[in-house]
Amino acid sequence: MLKFFSKNKKNKPSLKNTDDHHKASHFHTLKVSDIVRETEDCVSVGFAIPDDIRYDFEFIAGQNLTLRATINGEDVRRSYSLCSAPFEGVIRVAIKKVEDGVFSTWATETLKIGDDIQVMTPTGGFIANTKDENAHHYVGIAAGSGITPVISILKSVLFNEPKSSFTLFYGNKNVSSIIFKEELEDLRSTYLGRLEIHNILSREDQGMDYAYGRIDAEKVNYFAKNFIDVKDVHSFYICGPQEMTEISRDTLGGLGVDAGNIHFELFTAATPAKAKTEKKKASKDSVKSAVTVILDGDETHFDVATSGKNVLDAALDAGADVPFACKGAVCCTCRAKVMDGSAEMDMNYALTEEEVEEGYILTCQSHPTSEKLVVSYDE
């Protein structure tokens, strides 16, 4: 079982009337209220929230939304991080077009103001717990569209913690590809002396060696030596491609930063772990497991071979409308808790070690390892 995702659960923030940042996930039909062209290949999309479901869309900075649409006759779902901050009173995500991306291409080229779209209530644990009395220094390391949850966290810190500061290291190809460039500059002016921004460009020389190229171990070491004192940083927030994210995490760990102070999120995993799945399929000891999934108090029962489909796909085949988005162990939308029996994950980029120890699994990656398995999406 892979455990690449790490976040600090101490002082975990809570939402009104709930004791966890994982709300029960449900889709609602929302209307697109506005679309802003952030860069040539990225748009931010705002949604109108009816008053009667406004509570359902309360969120913590850093969380994400799963969007659902029928594109060319296919049901397509994707998760996108909220780029707005809770205090702003709006719901907005950023969508960057990716090569051969069915949803991102549709969203950046076809989606228009006034369209209706299915939007799942906010989920995700890449979050910041802000308090008025805090006087901390935070650091963000982002690349490309990885800025999306980081800017939500950054804005929340600066607004909610008047005595705190934030340093951002942000990697892009060139100036024209910097998402939220004007907003970041406005924030730097608004919070003068409390927000420091360093743009790292891989295809545009700014005349400074540290600011040219991709964010790698050498650059992270340079940042730590010249711009920040890692011992004085309360929390690091890292988001972007897998290689950059893992290198930044490991480099900071090598500099003595406690793992509990390094929070990170992947948008996509570089390569799926096929070996373990193939081994399961080849196993001669496979047994049939009686599986029960619980969602909104309703139970769905089905059988699945322990070396066969994952719990999520088997549940969908059985007619259960269970939540999912990426199916790549990244977004955490399909999170559920094992109530009886056992299961094993092929990959895990989204759950903390504490959550795994408490019995939570990503159902898109989980296979039964017992003759009976009960999992609940309601926990």
Side-chain angles (χ1 to χ4, degrees), residues 131-162:
K131 296 180 179 179
D132 291 344
E133 65 270 22
N134 286 347
H136 300 319
H137 181 203
Y138 301 87
V139 171
I141 302 176
S145 55
I147 188 62
T148 312
V150 174
I151 195 172
S152 177
I153 292 170
L154 178 156
K155 288 187 288 189
S156 294
V157 165
L158 295 173
F159 181 82
N160 294 325
E161 299 185 359

Side-chain angles (χ1 to χ4, degrees), residues 135-272:
H136 300 319
H137 181 203
Y138 301 87
V139 171
I141 302 176
S145 55
I147 188 62
T148 312
V150 174
I151 195 172
S152 177
I153 292 170
L154 178 156
K155 288 187 288 189
S156 294
V157 165
L158 295 173
F159 181 82
N160 294 325
E161 299 185 359
K163 294 179 286 187
S164 292
S165 61
F166 202 105
T167 300
L168 173 66
F169 301 97
Y170 184 21
N172 284 282
K173 293 178 181 178
N174 47 45
V175 170
S176 64
S177 67
I178 299 176
I179 304 173
F180 308 126
K181 182 178 183 297
E182 291 185 6
E183 183 176 8
L184 286 168
E185 291 300 326
D186 288 344
L187 287 166
R188 178 155 53 185
S189 298
T190 300
Y191 297 102
L192 195 63
R194 295 177 55 210
L195 174 60
E196 186 176 327
I197 301 173
H198 298 274
N199 287 304
I200 317 302
L201 305 178
S202 62
R203 299 183 184 179
E204 190 171 314
D205 193 344
Q206 303 177 80
M208 299 168 286
D209 289 343
Y210 83 88
Y212 182 65
R214 295 180 182 273
I215 297 177
D216 54 17
E218 182 179 359
K219 284 185 170 52
V220 174
N221 275 303
Y222 185 91
F223 301 157
K225 182 178 180 180
N226 294 275
F227 298 114
I228 60 174
D229 183 347
V230 295
K231 296 179 181 178
D232 292 336
V233 177
H234 179 271
S235 297
F236 290 86
Y237 291 93
I238 310 170
C239 188
Q242 181 173 350
E243 183 178 10
M244 185 279 294
T245 301
E246 294 181 352
I247 286 175
S248 298
R249 174 205 62 190
D250 293 345
T251 304
L252 290 172
L255 292 171
V257 179
D258 187 275
N261 296 332
I262 304 174
H263 314 254
F264 63 92
E265 183 170 70
L266 301 176
F267 276 178
T268 57
T271 55

